[in-house]
Amino acid sequence: MKPQSRILGVDDAPFRFSDDLVPVVGIIVRAPNYVEGVMTTRVHVDGDDATDVLADAIGRSRYRAGLALVLLDGAALGGFNVVDIDALHRTVKVPVATVTRDKPDLAAIEKALRARFSDWESRLEVLRRNALVEIETAHKPLFATAVGISAHELGDALRRATIRGALPEPLRIAHVVATAIVRGESKGKA
C-alpha cells in the first residue's frame, strides 16, 4: 500500500437494542491523517443488512475509485449485524479488514448468538471464516481479520495510519464522529 493511500474507517454509533436502526459513519483518510471525506448510512440493529448497506454506500461514494483499504471497527455493526468481509471485498473490489483492540472471545460470541438468533450458525460461520491475526503496534497489539491483503501489508497500513495510541486514524475518527451524532459530542475511548 502506498504511503498516501486512501483508507475508509467504519464504525457504528452508540445504540440501544430496542432501536430499529443505528447510524454508521465512514471516514475516508489519506494516510496518515488527512481527512478527505465523511459518509453516513444506517443498518438494522441485530439485522442482516450490514454487508449490503456498506457495499452500496462504498459503491456510490465518489471516493471509491482511489480506495485502497476498508477498515471496520469489529466484525459487526449494530450489535450482531455481522459484516461478511469476503462478500464485501468481492463486491467493492478493495481489501477489507476488521480491527479490534481486544481479542474476540468466540465462545462468548457463540453463546450470545445461540441465545438470540435462529440463524446463529451462519453468523458464527462468517465470524470464524477468516483467521484472526495479531498486529503489533507501538502501544499494544490489535486483532484483525482480513481479505484481499496480507497480514504483513495490513500491519504496515495500520502502523502508517496510526498517529497516537493503538487505533488507526480512520477508525478513531469514525468512532468520534459516530458518537457525536448520537450523544451530541464525542466521549469515551476512541
Side-chain angles (χ1 to χ4, degrees):
M1 188 171 300
K2 296 176 185 174
Q4 292 289 311
S5 293
R6 191 177 276 166
I7 300 172
L8 170 63
V10 177
D11 196 9
D12 56 358
F15 64 93
R16 292 180 306 270
F17 283 100
S18 60
D19 294 341
D20 184 38
L21 296 166
V22 59
V24 175
V25 172
I27 302 292
I28 299 93
V29 172
R30 195 164 296 269
N33 64 349
Y34 179 75
V35 176
E36 282 196 323
V38 177
M39 49 198 289
T40 62
T41 190
R42 297 180 304 165
V43 299
H44 286 90
V45 173
D46 280 345
D48 61 1
D49 60 343
T51 305
D52 292 337
V53 167
L54 287 179
D56 183 58
I58 294 167
R60 286 184 290 109
S61 173
R62 67 185 182 135
Y63 299 102
R64 165 64 192 87
L67 200 57
L69 177 62
V70 175
L71 294 177
L72 305 173
D73 188 1
L77 300 169
F80 282 112
N81 196 333
V82 177
V83 178
D84 183 335
I85 64 172
D86 295 283
L88 184 59
H89 170 65
R90 279 191 306 274
T91 303
V92 300
K93 297 178 180 28
V94 172
V96 179
T98 68
V99 177
T100 60
R101 292 173 190 258
D102 300 313
K103 186 175 184 179
D105 180 347
L106 286 176
I109 291 169
E110 179 177 346
K111 183 178 179 182
L113 288 172
R114 281 177 181 262
R116 295 174 66 187
F117 301 100
S118 60
D119 66 344
W120 69 269
E121 290 172 303
S122 61
R123 292 179 195 235
L124 186 61
E125 186 277 323
V126 170
L127 293 172
R128 287 186 168 164
R129 186 182 305 146
N130 297 291
L132 185 68
V133 295
E134 189 173 325
I135 306 284
E136 291 299 325
T137 71
H139 295 277
K140 69 177 226 170
L142 295 173
F143 297 90
T145 60
V147 177
I149 188 170
S150 72
H152 176 74
E153 291 171 316
L154 178 60
D156 286 346
L158 294 178
R159 285 185 286 275
R160 187 176 298 123
T162 302
I163 305 301
R164 181 184 304 182
L167 278 183
E169 287 298 287
L171 288 180
R172 189 188 71 76
I173 298 168
H175 176 81
V176 168
V177 172
T179 302
I181 286 173
V182 170
R183 294 189 175 149
E185 70 177 342
S186 62
K187 59 182 171 181
K189 191 167 144 179

